[in-house]
Amino acid sequence: MTHTSEWKVRVHLFEDDDGTTKAHLVLDTGTAELSGRGSAHCHPRDRNVPEIGDELAAGRALNDLAGQLLRAAERDIEGVGATRPDRRETAAWSL
């Protein structure tokens, strides 16, 4: 059985006046939406390189979103009667 789908992610980046870059990601699966958030702050002694702040904030938002996806998968696995994966198994589906 072959399964193909396309999920879309929108990435919104913005910087506050205090030098904090914030990222807001929205994942649209076609049936649900999840959002992840992340931020980065430039140290006052560091040179302000906006691209670095964008990368850090987006990476942290992706990490937030990844955690949500894994937790959703665990709930769905339990919902089909399988046991919850051991915490050492970061991406397992033991059916």
Side-chain angles (χ1 to χ4, degrees), residues 21-76:
T21 301
K22 295 183 180 179
H24 177 224
L25 306 179
V26 178
L27 170 67
D28 182 356
T29 69
T31 58
E33 275 192 2
L34 291 173
S35 64
R37 296 185 184 278
S39 63
H41 186 77
C42 184
H43 191 278
R45 291 186 306 220
D46 291 339
R47 189 169 58 118
N48 186 14
V49 181
E51 182 179 48
I52 294 172
D54 291 350
E55 292 166 347
L56 285 169
R60 290 170 178 161
L62 284 165
N63 193 34
D64 178 36
L65 188 58
Q68 291 179 54
L69 282 170
L70 289 170
R71 287 187 296 278
E74 288 176 353
R75 287 190 303 272
D76 291 344

CSV table of all heavy atoms in Angstrom, one decimal, residues 21-76:
chain,number,residue,atom,x,y,z
A,21,THR,N,14.9,37.8,17.9
A,21,THR,CA,14.3,37.3,16.7
A,21,THR,C,13.3,36.2,17.1
A,21,THR,O,13.7,35.3,17.9
A,21,THR,CB,15.4,36.7,15.8
A,21,THR,OG1,16.3,37.7,15.4
A,21,THR,CG2,14.7,36.2,14.5
A,22,LYS,N,12.1,36.2,16.6
A,22,LYS,CA,11.1,35.2,16.9
A,22,LYS,C,10.7,34.5,15.6
A,22,LYS,O,10.6,35.1,14.6
A,22,LYS,CB,9.9,35.9,17.6
A,22,LYS,CG,10.3,36.4,18.9
A,22,LYS,CD,9.1,37.0,19.6
A,22,LYS,CE,9.5,37.6,21.0
A,22,LYS,NZ,8.4,38.2,21.7
A,23,ALA,N,10.5,33.2,15.8
A,23,ALA,CA,10.0,32.4,14.6
A,23,ALA,C,8.7,31.8,15.0
A,23,ALA,O,8.5,31.3,16.1
A,23,ALA,CB,11.0,31.4,14.3
A,24,HIS,N,7.7,31.8,14.1
A,24,HIS,CA,6.5,31.1,14.3
A,24,HIS,C,6.3,30.3,13.0
A,24,HIS,O,6.2,30.8,11.9
A,24,HIS,CB,5.3,32.1,14.4
A,24,HIS,CG,4.0,31.5,14.6
A,24,HIS,ND1,2.9,32.0,13.9
A,24,HIS,CD2,3.5,30.4,15.3
A,24,HIS,CE1,1.8,31.2,14.2
A,24,HIS,NE2,2.2,30.3,15.0
A,25,LEU,N,6.2,28.9,13.2
A,25,LEU,CA,6.0,28.0,12.1
A,25,LEU,C,4.5,27.5,12.2
A,25,LEU,O,4.0,27.2,13.3
A,25,LEU,CB,6.9,26.8,12.2
A,25,LEU,CG,8.4,27.1,12.4
A,25,LEU,CD1,9.1,25.8,12.5
A,25,LEU,CD2,8.9,27.8,11.2
A,26,VAL,N,3.9,27.3,11.1
A,26,VAL,CA,2.6,26.7,11.0
A,26,VAL,C,2.7,25.5,10.0
A,26,VAL,O,3.0,25.7,8.9
A,26,VAL,CB,1.5,27.7,10.6
A,26,VAL,CG1,0.2,27.0,10.5
A,26,VAL,CG2,1.5,28.9,11.5
A,27,LEU,N,2.4,24.3,10.5
A,27,LEU,CA,2.4,23.1,9.7
A,27,LEU,C,1.0,22.8,9.4
A,27,LEU,O,0.1,22.6,10.3
A,27,LEU,CB,3.0,21.9,10.5
A,27,LEU,CG,2.9,20.6,9.9
A,27,LEU,CD1,3.6,20.5,8.5
A,27,LEU,CD2,3.3,19.5,10.8
A,28,ASP,N,0.7,22.7,8.1
A,28,ASP,CA,-0.7,22.4,7.7
A,28,ASP,C,-0.6,21.0,7.0
A,28,ASP,O,0.0,20.8,6.0
A,28,ASP,CB,-1.2,23.4,6.7
A,28,ASP,CG,-2.6,23.1,6.2
A,28,ASP,OD1,-3.2,22.1,6.5
A,28,ASP,OD2,-3.1,24.0,5.4
A,29,THR,N,-1.2,20.0,7.6
A,29,THR,CA,-1.2,18.6,7.1
A,29,THR,C,-2.4,18.3,6.2
A,29,THR,O,-2.5,17.3,5.6
A,29,THR,CB,-1.2,17.6,8.2
A,29,THR,OG1,-2.5,17.6,8.8
A,29,THR,CG2,-0.1,17.8,9.2
A,30,GLY,N,-3.2,19.3,6.0
A,30,GLY,CA,-4.4,19.1,5.2
A,30,GLY,C,-5.6,18.7,6.1
A,30,GLY,O,-6.8,18.9,5.7
A,31,THR,N,-5.3,18.1,7.2
A,31,THR,CA,-6.4,17.7,8.2
A,31,THR,C,-6.2,18.4,9.5
A,31,THR,O,-7.1,18.3,10.4
A,31,THR,CB,-6.5,16.2,8.4
A,31,THR,OG1,-5.2,15.7,8.8
A,31,THR,CG2,-6.8,15.5,7.0
A,32,ALA,N,-5.0,18.9,9.8
A,32,ALA,CA,-4.7,19.5,11.1
A,32,ALA,C,-3.7,20.6,10.9
A,32,ALA,O,-2.9,20.6,9.9
A,32,ALA,CB,-4.3,18.5,12.1
A,33,GLU,N,-3.6,21.5,11.9
A,33,GLU,CA,-2.5,22.5,11.9
A,33,GLU,C,-1.8,22.4,13.2
A,33,GLU,O,-2.5,22.3,14.3
A,33,GLU,CB,-3.1,23.9,11.7
A,33,GLU,CG,-3.2,24.3,10.2
A,33,GLU,CD,-3.5,25.7,10.1
A,33,GLU,OE1,-3.5,26.5,11.0
A,33,GLU,OE2,-3.7,26.1,8.9
A,34,LEU,N,-0.5,22.5,13.2
A,34,LEU,CA,0.3,22.6,14.4
A,34,LEU,C,1.2,23.8,14.3
A,34,LEU,O,1.5,24.2,13.1
A,34,LEU,CB,1.2,21.4,14.6
A,34,LEU,CG,0.5,20.0,14.9
A,34,LEU,CD1,1.6,18.9,14.9
A,34,LEU,CD2,-0.1,20.1,16.3
A,35,SER,N,1.5,24.4,15.4
A,35,SER,CA,2.4,25.6,15.3
A,35,SER,C,3.6,25.4,16.3
A,35,SER,O,3.4,24.9,17.3
A,35,SER,CB,1.7,26.9,15.5
A,35,SER,OG,1.2,27.0,16.8
A,36,GLY,N,4.7,25.9,15.8
A,36,GLY,CA,5.9,25.8,16.7
A,36,GLY,C,6.5,27.2,16.8
A,36,GLY,O,6.3,28.1,16.0
A,37,ARG,N,7.1,27.4,18.0
A,37,ARG,CA,7.7,28.8,18.2
A,37,ARG,C,9.1,28.6,18.7
A,37,ARG,O,9.5,27.7,19.4
A,37,ARG,CB,6.8,29.5,19.3
A,37,ARG,CG,5.4,29.8,18.8
A,37,ARG,CD,4.7,30.6,19.8
A,37,ARG,NE,3.3,30.8,19.3
A,37,ARG,CZ,2.9,31.7,18.5
A,37,ARG,NH1,3.8,32.6,18.0
A,37,ARG,NH2,1.6,31.8,18.1
A,38,GLY,N,9.9,29.6,18.4
A,38,GLY,CA,11.3,29.7,18.9
A,38,GLY,C,11.8,31.1,18.8
A,38,GLY,O,11.2,32.0,18.2
A,39,SER,N,12.8,31.4,19.6
A,39,SER,CA,13.4,32.7,19.6
A,39,SER,C,14.9,32.7,19.8
A,39,SER,O,15.4,31.6,20.2
A,39,SER,CB,12.7,33.5,20.7
A,39,SER,OG,13.0,33.0,22.0
A,40,ALA,N,15.5,33.8,19.5
A,40,ALA,CA,17.0,33.9,19.7
A,40,ALA,C,17.2,35.4,20.0
A,40,ALA,O,16.5,36.3,19.5
A,40,ALA,CB,17.7,33.5,18.4
A,41,HIS,N,18.2,35.6,20.9
A,41,HIS,CA,18.5,37.0,21.3
A,41,HIS,C,20.0,37.2,21.1
A,41,HIS,O,20.8,36.4,21.5
A,41,HIS,CB,18.1,37.2,22.8
A,41,HIS,CG,18.3,38.6,23.2
A,41,HIS,ND1,17.4,39.6,22.9
A,41,HIS,CD2,19.3,39.2,23.9
A,41,HIS,CE1,17.9,40.7,23.4
A,41,HIS,NE2,19.0,40.5,24.0
A,42,CYS,N,20.3,38.3,20.4
A,42,CYS,CA,21.7,38.6,20.2
A,42,CYS,C,22.3,39.2,21.4
A,42,CYS,O,21.7,40.2,22.0
A,42,CYS,CB,21.8,39.6,19.0
A,42,CYS,SG,23.4,40.1,18.5
A,43,HIS,N,23.4,38.7,21.9
A,43,HIS,CA,24.1,39.2,23.0
A,43,HIS,C,24.6,40.6,22.7
A,43,HIS,O,25.1,40.9,21.6
A,43,HIS,CB,25.3,38.3,23.4
A,43,HIS,CG,25.9,38.6,24.7
A,43,HIS,ND1,26.8,39.6,24.9
A,43,HIS,CD2,25.7,38.1,25.9
A,43,HIS,CE1,27.2,39.7,26.1
A,43,HIS,NE2,26.5,38.8,26.8
A,44,PRO,N,24.5,41.6,23.6
A,44,PRO,CA,24.9,42.9,23.3
A,44,PRO,C,26.4,43.1,22.8
A,44,PRO,O,26.7,44.0,22.1
A,44,PRO,CB,24.8,43.7,24.7
A,44,PRO,CG,23.8,42.9,25.4
A,44,PRO,CD,24.0,41.4,25.0
A,45,ARG,N,27.3,42.2,23.2
A,45,ARG,CA,28.7,42.3,22.8
A,45,ARG,C,28.9,41.7,21.4
A,45,ARG,O,29.9,41.9,20.8
A,45,ARG,CB,29.6,41.6,23.8
A,45,ARG,CG,29.7,42.4,25.1
A,45,ARG,CD,30.7,41.8,25.9
A,45,ARG,NE,30.5,40.4,26.1
A,45,ARG,CZ,30.6,39.7,27.3
A,45,ARG,NH1,31.1,40.3,28.3
A,45,ARG,NH2,30.4,38.4,27.3
A,46,ASP,N,27.9,40.9,20.9
A,46,ASP,CA,28.1,40.3,19.6
A,46,ASP,C,27.6,41.2,18.5
A,46,ASP,O,26.8,42.0,18.7
A,46,ASP,CB,27.2,39.0,19.5
A,46,ASP,CG,27.8,37.9,20.5
A,46,ASP,OD1,29.0,38.0,20.8
A,46,ASP,OD2,27.0,37.0,20.8
A,47,ARG,N,28.2,40.9,17.3
A,47,ARG,CA,27.8,41.7,16.1
A,47,ARG,C,26.4,41.2,15.7
A,47,ARG,O,26.2,40.0,15.7
A,47,ARG,CB,28.8,41.4,15.0
A,47,ARG,CG,28.7,42.3,13.8
A,47,ARG,CD,29.8,42.2,12.9
A,47,ARG,NE,30.0,40.8,12.4
A,47,ARG,CZ,29.9,40.4,11.2
A,47,ARG,NH1,29.7,41.2,10.2
A,47,ARG,NH2,30.1,39.1,10.9
A,48,ASN,N,25.6,42.1,15.4
A,48,ASN,CA,24.2,41.7,15.0
A,48,ASN,C,24.2,41.2,13.5
A,48,ASN,O,24.5,41.9,12.6
A,48,ASN,CB,23.3,42.9,15.1
A,48,ASN,CG,21.8,42.6,14.8
A,48,ASN,OD1,21.5,41.4,14.8
A,48,ASN,ND2,21.0,43.6,14.6
A,49,VAL,N,24.0,39.9,13.4
A,49,VAL,CA,23.9,39.3,12.1
A,49,VAL,C,22.5,38.7,12.0
A,49,VAL,O,22.2,37.6,12.6
A,49,VAL,CB,25.0,38.2,11.9
A,49,VAL,CG1,24.9,37.6,10.5
A,49,VAL,CG2,26.4,38.8,12.1
A,50,PRO,N,21.5,39.4,11.4
A,50,PRO,CA,20.1,38.9,11.4
A,50,PRO,C,20.0,37.5,10.9
A,50,PRO,O,19.1,36.7,11.4
A,50,PRO,CB,19.4,39.9,10.4
A,50,PRO,CG,20.2,41.1,10.6
A,50,PRO,CD,21.7,40.6,10.7
A,51,GLU,N,20.8,37.0,9.9
A,51,GLU,CA,20.6,35.7,9.4
A,51,GLU,C,20.8,34.6,10.5
A,51,GLU,O,20.2,33.6,10.6
A,51,GLU,CB,21.6,35.4,8.3
A,51,GLU,CG,21.5,34.0,7.7
A,51,GLU,CD,22.4,33.8,6.5
A,51,GLU,OE1,23.6,34.2,6.7
A,51,GLU,OE2,22.0,33.4,5.5
A,52,ILE,N,21.8,34.9,11.4
A,52,ILE,CA,22.1,33.9,12.5
A,52,ILE,C,20.8,33.9,13.5
A,52,ILE,O,20.4,32.8,13.9
A,52,ILE,CB,23.3,34.3,13.3
A,52,ILE,CG1,24.6,34.2,12.4
A,52,ILE,CG2,23.5,33.5,14.5
A,52,ILE,CD1,25.9,34.7,12.9
A,53,GLY,N,20.3,35.0,13.8
A,53,GLY,CA,19.1,35.0,14.6
A,53,GLY,C,17.9,34.3,14.0
A,53,GLY,O,17.2,33.5,14.6
A,54,ASP,N,17.8,34.5,12.6
A,54,ASP,CA,16.7,33.8,11.9
A,54,ASP,C,16.9,32.3,12.0
A,54,ASP,O,16.0,31.5,12.2
A,54,ASP,CB,16.7,34.2,10.4
A,54,ASP,CG,16.2,35.6,10.2
A,54,ASP,OD1,15.7,36.2,11.2
A,54,ASP,OD2,16.4,36.1,9.1
A,55,GLU,N,18.2,31.8,11.8
A,55,GLU,CA,18.5,30.4,11.8
A,55,GLU,C,18.2,29.8,13.2
A,55,GLU,O,17.7,28.7,13.3
A,55,GLU,CB,20.0,30.2,11.4
A,55,GLU,CG,20.2,30.5,9.9
A,55,GLU,CD,21.7,30.6,9.6
A,55,GLU,OE1,22.5,30.7,10.5
A,55,GLU,OE2,22.0,30.6,8.4
A,56,LEU,N,18.7,30.5,14.2
A,56,LEU,CA,18.5,30.0,15.6
A,56,LEU,C,17.0,29.9,15.9
A,56,LEU,O,16.5,28.9,16.5
A,56,LEU,CB,19.3,30.8,16.6
A,56,LEU,CG,20.8,30.6,16.7
A,56,LEU,CD1,21.4,31.7,17.5
A,56,LEU,CD2,21.1,29.2,17.2
A,57,ALA,N,16.3,31.0,15.7
A,57,ALA,CA,14.9,31.0,16.0
A,57,ALA,C,14.1,30.0,15.2
A,57,ALA,O,13.3,29.3,15.8
A,57,ALA,CB,14.3,32.4,15.8
A,58,ALA,N,14.4,29.9,13.9
A,58,ALA,CA,13.7,28.9,13.1
A,58,ALA,C,14.0,27.5,13.5
A,58,ALA,O,13.1,26.6,13.6
A,58,ALA,CB,14.0,29.1,11.6
A,59,GLY,N,15.3,27.2,13.8
A,59,GLY,CA,15.7,25.9,14.3
A,59,GLY,C,15.0,25.5,15.6
A,59,GLY,O,14.6,24.4,15.8
A,60,ARG,N,14.9,26.5,16.5
A,60,ARG,CA,14.2,26.2,17.8
A,60,ARG,C,12.7,26.0,17.6
A,60,ARG,O,12.1,25.1,18.3
A,60,ARG,CB,14.5,27.3,18.8
A,60,ARG,CG,16.0,27.3,19.2
A,60,ARG,CD,16.4,28.5,20.0
A,60,ARG,NE,17.8,28.4,20.4
A,60,ARG,CZ,18.6,29.4,20.8
A,60,ARG,NH1,18.1,30.6,20.8
A,60,ARG,NH2,19.8,29.2,21.1
A,61,ALA,N,12.1,26.7,16.7
A,61,ALA,CA,10.7,26.5,16.4
A,61,ALA,C,10.5,25.2,15.7
A,61,ALA,O,9.5,24.5,16.0
A,61,ALA,CB,10.2,27.6,15.5
A,62,LEU,N,11.4,24.7,14.8
A,62,LEU,CA,11.3,23.4,14.2
A,62,LEU,C,11.4,22.3,15.3
A,62,LEU,O,10.7,21.3,15.3
A,62,LEU,CB,12.4,23.2,13.2
A,62,LEU,CG,12.1,23.9,11.8
A,62,LEU,CD1,13.4,24.0,11.0
A,62,LEU,CD2,11.0,23.2,11.1
A,63,ASN,N,12.3,22.5,16.3
A,63,ASN,CA,12.5,21.6,17.4
A,63,ASN,C,11.2,21.5,18.2
A,63,ASN,O,10.8,20.4,18.6
A,63,ASN,CB,13.7,22.0,18.2
A,63,ASN,CG,14.1,20.9,19.2
A,63,ASN,OD1,14.1,19.7,18.9
A,63,ASN,ND2,14.6,21.3,20.3
A,64,ASP,N,10.6,22.6,18.4
A,64,ASP,CA,9.3,22.6,19.2
A,64,ASP,C,8.3,21.8,18.4
A,64,ASP,O,7.5,21.0,18.9
A,64,ASP,CB,8.9,24.1,19.4
A,64,ASP,CG,7.5,24.2,20.1
A,64,ASP,OD1,7.2,23.4,21.0
A,64,ASP,OD2,6.8,25.2,19.7
A,65,LEU,N,8.2,22.1,17.1
A,65,LEU,CA,7.2,21.4,16.2
A,65,LEU,C,7.5,19.9,16.2
A,65,LEU,O,6.6,19.1,16.2
A,65,LEU,CB,7.3,22.0,14.8
A,65,LEU,CG,6.2,21.6,13.8
A,65,LEU,CD1,4.8,21.9,14.3
A,65,LEU,CD2,6.4,22.3,12.5
A,66,ALA,N,8.8,19.5,16.1
A,66,ALA,CA,9.1,18.1,16.1
A,66,ALA,C,8.7,17.4,17.3
A,66,ALA,O,8.1,16.3,17.2
A,66,ALA,CB,10.7,18.0,15.9
A,67,GLY,N,8.8,18.0,18.5
A,67,GLY,CA,8.4,17.4,19.7
A,67,GLY,C,6.9,17.2,19.7
A,67,GLY,O,6.3,16.2,20.1
A,68,GLN,N,6.1,18.2,19.2
A,68,GLN,CA,4.7,18.1,19.1
A,68,GLN,C,4.3,17.0,18.2
A,68,GLN,O,3.3,16.2,18.5
A,68,GLN,CB,4.1,19.4,18.6
A,68,GLN,CG,4.2,20.5,19.6
A,68,GLN,CD,3.6,21.8,19.0
A,68,GLN,OE1,2.4,21.8,18.6
A,68,GLN,NE2,4.4,22.9,19.0
A,69,LEU,N,5.0,16.8,17.0
A,69,LEU,CA,4.6,15.8,16.1
A,69,LEU,C,4.9,14.4,16.7
A,69,LEU,O,4.1,13.4,16.5
A,69,LEU,CB,5.5,15.9,14.8
A,69,LEU,CG,5.0,16.9,13.8
A,69,LEU,CD1,6.0,17.2,12.7
A,69,LEU,CD2,3.7,16.5,13.2
A,70,LEU,N,6.0,14.2,17.4
A,70,LEU,CA,6.3,13.0,18.1
A,70,LEU,C,5.3,12.6,19.1
A,70,LEU,O,4.8,11.5,19.2
A,70,LEU,CB,7.7,13.0,18.7
A,70,LEU,CG,8.8,13.0,17.6
A,70,LEU,CD1,10.2,13.2,18.3
A,70,LEU,CD2,8.8,11.6,16.9
A,71,ARG,N,4.9,13.6,19.9
A,71,ARG,CA,3.8,13.4,20.9
A,71,ARG,C,2.5,13.0,20.3
A,71,ARG,O,1.8,12.1,20.8
A,71,ARG,CB,3.7,14.6,21.9
A,71,ARG,CG,4.9,14.7,22.8
A,71,ARG,CD,4.6,15.8,23.9
A,71,ARG,NE,4.5,17.1,23.3
A,71,ARG,CZ,5.6,17.9,23.0
A,71,ARG,NH1,6.8,17.4,23.1
A,71,ARG,NH2,5.4,19.1,22.5
A,72,ALA,N,2.1,13.7,19.2
A,72,ALA,CA,0.9,13.3,18.5
A,72,ALA,C,1.0,11.9,17.9
A,72,ALA,O,0.0,11.2,18.0
A,72,ALA,CB,0.7,14.3,17.3
A,73,ALA,N,2.1,11.5,17.4
A,73,ALA,CA,2.3,10.1,16.9
A,73,ALA,C,2.1,9.1,18.0
A,73,ALA,O,1.5,8.1,17.8
A,73,ALA,CB,3.6,10.0,16.2
A,74,GLU,N,2.7,9.4,19.2
A,74,GLU,CA,2.5,8.5,20.3
A,74,GLU,C,1.1,8.3,20.7
A,74,GLU,O,0.6,7.2,20.9
A,74,GLU,CB,3.4,9.0,21.5
A,74,GLU,CG,4.9,8.9,21.3
A,74,GLU,CD,5.6,9.4,22.5
A,74,GLU,OE1,5.0,10.1,23.4
A,74,GLU,OE2,6.9,9.3,22.5
A,75,ARG,N,0.3,9.4,20.7
A,75,ARG,CA,-1.1,9.3,21.0
A,75,ARG,C,-1.8,8.5,20.0
A,75,ARG,O,-2.7,7.7,20.3
A,75,ARG,CB,-1.7,10.7,21.1
A,75,ARG,CG,-1.3,11.5,22.4
A,75,ARG,CD,-2.1,12.8,22.6
A,75,ARG,NE,-2.0,13.7,21.4
A,75,ARG,CZ,-1.1,14.6,21.3
A,75,ARG,NH1,-0.1,14.7,22.2
A,75,ARG,NH2,-1.1,15.4,20.3
A,76,ASP,N,-1.5,8.7,18.7
A,76,ASP,CA,-2.1,8.0,17.6
A,76,ASP,C,-1.8,6.5,17.7
A,76,ASP,O,-2.6,5.7,17.4
A,76,ASP,CB,-1.7,8.6,16.3
A,76,ASP,CG,-2.3,10.0,16.0
A,76,ASP,OD1,-3.3,10.4,16.8
A,76,ASP,OD2,-1.9,10.7,15.1
